[in-house]
Amino acid sequence: EVQLVESGGGLVKPGGSLRLSCAASGFTFSSYSMTWVRQAPGKGLEWVSSITSSSDYIYYADSVKGRFTISRDNAKNSLFLQMNSLRAEDTGVYFCARLFALPAAPDYWGQGTLVTVSS
Amino acid sequence: EIVLTQSPDVLSVTPKEKVTITCRASQSIGSSLHWYQQKPDQSPKLLVKHASQSFSGVPSRFTGSGSGTDFTLTINSLEAEDAATYYCHQSNSLPGTFGQGTKVEIK
């Protein structure tokens, strides 16, 4: 069974940083591209970033480019999102998901982790 | 950026009714269109990929069709457990955009 478990969310002040993690199990993590998608409270879904299986290609939404960094550790079956210079509009639930097609077509999703940016 | 527009925004339907949700893309995306179901406080679940391919384990009452710019998700014989928000999503080009969502309510 594919499982994706996010962690690392929390309350942070504007301008602060957070690092999200996603632990994967139930599939060969090193064979799949992965992605982060976020959802602001009461709003729709927004693609954030994707990374290929070997980290050869990385993609970002314009809204986070230069502030967020996606990475992965295939030896530890883990995906990460380093978020710097956080803004109020970055508030929301961040989902880790496995991709079945590039650049952004998830099949399995984690349960999400809440990031709140507020003073 | 490719814009996806869903209609309607909200649907109120009775069980066993047939539901049709449409998704229109601002430019042609071939069959790179996927449908998701999201229930309150849950993560999205993939229903249909590449416009018409049912995802593993999804009930057969969920079907997708279309290509190019116009796509449809059909729920045949709606069940109470289908109350949710449905999103279309394109992976033809970056950024990977989503429709605004269609909320299906049960009467």
Side-chain angles (χ1 to χ4, degrees):
Chain A
E1 179 192 4
V2 173
Q3 286 202 326
L4 298 166
V5 180
E6 301 93 336
S7 60
L11 175 63
V12 62
K13 289 181 168 53
S17 298
L18 273 180
R19 188 187 194 218
L20 305 184
S21 299
C22 172
S25 61
F27 65 102
T28 305
F29 180 73
S30 59
S31 296
Y32 285 86
S33 298
M34 299 292 294
T35 194
W36 289 97
V37 176
R38 68 184 180 184
Q39 187 168 37
K43 301 297 185 183
L45 300 166
E46 180 189 14
W47 170 77
V48 173
S49 180
S50 296
I51 185 169
T52 55
S53 57
S54 300
S55 305
D56 294 343
Y57 294 93
I58 287 174
Y59 310 96
Y60 296 102
D62 285 347
S63 57
V64 306
K65 201 173 292 183
R67 300 187 299 123
F68 289 12
T69 302
I70 191 172
S71 62
R72 62 191 295 160
D73 184 338
N74 286 344
K76 296 183 177 179
N77 292 340
S78 295
L79 177 72
F80 306 101
L81 186 68
Q82 177 67 44
M83 304 186 297
N84 299 330
S85 303
L86 283 162
R87 306 167 180 166
E89 55 265 34
D90 295 318
T91 293
V93 175
Y94 284 70
F95 297 101
C96 154
R98 189 181 81 169
L99 292 179
F100 65 87
L102 281 169
D107 52 8
Y108 293 96
W109 301 59
Q111 86 289 348
T113 186
L114 177 63
V115 171
T116 304
V117 184
S118 175
S119 54
Chain B
E1 172 176 319
I2 295 175
V3 176
L4 298 179
T5 304
Q6 293 181 228
S7 60
D9 290 332
V10 180
L11 267 176
S12 184
V13 293
T14 55
K16 298 189 179 180
E17 211 175 316
K18 179 179 176 179
V19 170
T20 300
I21 300 169
T22 64
C23 178
R24 175 162 288 178
S26 58
Q27 62 190 75
S28 180
I29 56 172
S31 61
S32 300
L33 191 284
H34 323 291
W35 291 97
Y36 297 87
Q37 176 194 65
Q38 187 179 31
K39 297 181 180 180
D41 299 319
Q42 294 186 18
S43 57
K45 289 180 170 51
L46 178 64
L47 298 174
V48 174
K49 61 180 185 177
H50 298 305
S52 61
Q53 298 175 17
S54 293
F55 187 58
S56 174
V58 174
S60 58
R61 63 182 180 274
F62 293 93
T63 59
S65 63
S67 67
T69 60
D70 293 302
F71 302 86
T72 300
L73 175 70
T74 301
I75 311 174
N76 286 295
S77 192
L78 185 85
E79 297 190 6
E81 66 184 30
D82 300 333
T85 300
Y86 294 82
Y87 294 94
C88 59
H89 170 58
Q90 68 82 21
S91 61
N92 181 73
S93 62
L94 289 171
T97 47
F98 290 86
Q100 81 277 15
T102 294
K103 186 175 183 179
V104 173
E105 300 173 338
I106 308 297
K107 283 182 183 174

